[in-house]
Amino acid sequence: MRRFFTPGWLGLHALAIVLCASFLGFGWWQYDRAQAGNDRSWAYTFEWPIFSIFVIVMWIKMMRDELSGDETRQAPKVIEEPAAAAVKRELIRQHEAEDPSLAAYNRYLARLNAESRG
């Protein structure tokens, strides 16, 4: 439970409490306006408390995720290279072995292409 008393978590707790209180206050304000005859405020009377419930649900979800210590949140240890890049590298290697001047010209064209896009 100590992990929820770090400065970052205390800030999140404070933010969640302030948002919930504000959203409920806005709902009450819209209820007062609806009672005064503003028909559009009836929709907002129910909308603001739903926002407050959403904040509470997300707050609980964040705390559960922290407690479960999801392994999926960690970055992968080995970043796999797409197969297309490996194939492209192999083709370049074969072209350089066949004709070095053609490979140099292709590198020149690739560099020009990259410069024109950048």
Side-chain angles (χ1 to χ4, degrees):
M1 292 308 263
R2 285 186 177 176
R3 68 180 87 173
F4 295 122
F5 293 110
T6 61
W9 273 105
L10 289 175
L12 285 173
H13 298 323
L15 179 66
I17 292 168
V18 167
L19 284 175
C20 285
S22 299
F23 291 163
L24 290 174
F26 291 151
W28 186 259
W29 170 59
Q30 290 296 329
Y31 177 73
D32 286 342
R33 290 187 58 182
Q35 290 292 327
N38 187 348
D39 290 335
R40 186 180 299 169
S41 291
W42 282 112
Y44 296 123
T45 299
F46 299 104
E47 181 179 359
W48 284 111
I50 290 171
F51 289 158
S52 181
I53 292 169
F54 178 75
V55 169
I56 293 169
V57 168
M58 292 309 297
W59 186 21
I60 291 171
K61 182 187 179 321
M62 288 171 55
M63 287 192 293
R64 281 184 156 180
D65 288 347
E66 181 70 24
L67 286 175
S68 70
D70 274 342
E71 298 292 327
T72 58
R73 291 187 302 155
Q74 297 175 355
K77 293 183 171 110
V78 177
I79 298 175
E80 295 182 15
E81 185 175 292
V87 170
K88 188 175 182 181
R89 240 191 346 268
E90 180 60 28
L91 287 173
I92 291 170
R93 189 190 64 74
Q94 288 176 0
H95 288 159
E96 287 180 350
E98 293 172 4
D99 188 359
S101 62
L102 179 62
Y105 182 69
N106 285 335
R107 284 193 302 271
Y108 170 72
L109 290 177
R111 188 189 61 171
L112 287 177
N113 186 29
E115 288 175 358
S116 69
R117 291 184 185 188

